[in-house]
Amino acid sequence: HITDALNKFNKQTPGQALDSSILESAHNQLSHMFDSSNGGFGSSPKFPTPHKFLFLLRYYKRTGNKNALMMVEESLESMRE
């Protein structure tokens, strides 16, 4: 029974394909959350959120949108300070 349950759990079902509108929406949401004064996203406490940085870096590479790169750079510089 355990093996059957694990096999059912491990079966991957493909999700919806990502298109540019989904990526643009995610970028816009992060842009609205970005703290341009202190870096990071949202209000304090601000813990590092690597998944947001990774998304923004990949988004920048894919689209060339410099705003995505700027949010990562400013956040990392603020963390360093």
Side-chain angles (χ1 to χ4, degrees), residues 29-66:
Q29 288 177 27
L30 288 172
S31 291
H32 290 295
M33 293 172 46
F34 181 67
D35 180 349
S36 59
S37 299
N38 301 307
F41 300 89
S43 59
S44 63
K46 293 183 183 186
F47 296 100
T49 51
H51 60 283
K52 291 177 184 173
F53 296 152
L54 291 172
F55 168 80
L56 289 168
L57 290 171
R58 291 181 74 180
Y59 184 81
Y60 168 72
K61 183 176 181 182
R62 181 180 184 136
T63 65
N65 185 314
K66 291 184 181 187

Side-chain angles (χ1 to χ4, degrees), residues 18-32:
L18 291 177
D19 64 23
S20 60
S21 66
I22 294 171
L23 299 175
E24 185 69 27
S25 175
H27 172 260
N28 288 339
Q29 288 177 27
L30 288 172
S31 291
H32 290 295

Side-chain angles (χ1 to χ4, degrees), residues 66-78:
K66 291 184 181 187
N67 183 55
L69 181 61
M70 178 275 305
M71 288 188 283
V72 174
E73 289 176 336
E74 284 192 19
S75 295
L76 292 175
E77 287 174 7
S78 294

